[in-house]
Amino acid sequence: MLTALGLMLVFEGLLPLLMPQAWRETFMKMVALKDGQLRFVGLISIIGGLLLILLSK
């Protein structure tokens, strides 16, 4: 579990490190979304992550 958390942090840090302006613009767009839209993005992210976990076994 700790390895998974570490990998998540590495991947989360890649975009702001390599493309800070694109990351900032994306973040500003996310802030402008309504709660329901953010929940949908979170749900899709969870489903995608679970699918990757299942496919890696």
Side-chain angles (χ1 to χ4, degrees), residues 6-57:
L7 278 172
M8 183 200 72
L9 290 173
V10 167
F11 287 124
E12 288 279 332
L14 283 176
L15 191 59
L17 175 68
L18 299 175
M19 299 171 24
Q21 185 62 36
W23 180 85
R24 186 176 292 113
E25 290 170 7
T26 302
F27 188 77
M28 295 300 286
K29 289 177 186 175
M30 293 291 287
V31 170
L33 292 176
K34 295 181 168 104
D35 287 351
Q37 293 170 313
L38 279 174
R39 285 188 178 107
F40 182 73
V41 169
L43 177 64
I44 295 300
S45 179
I46 290 169
I47 291 170
L50 288 173
L51 285 173
L52 284 174
I53 290 169
L54 289 173
L55 290 173
S56 69
K57 289 187 176 189

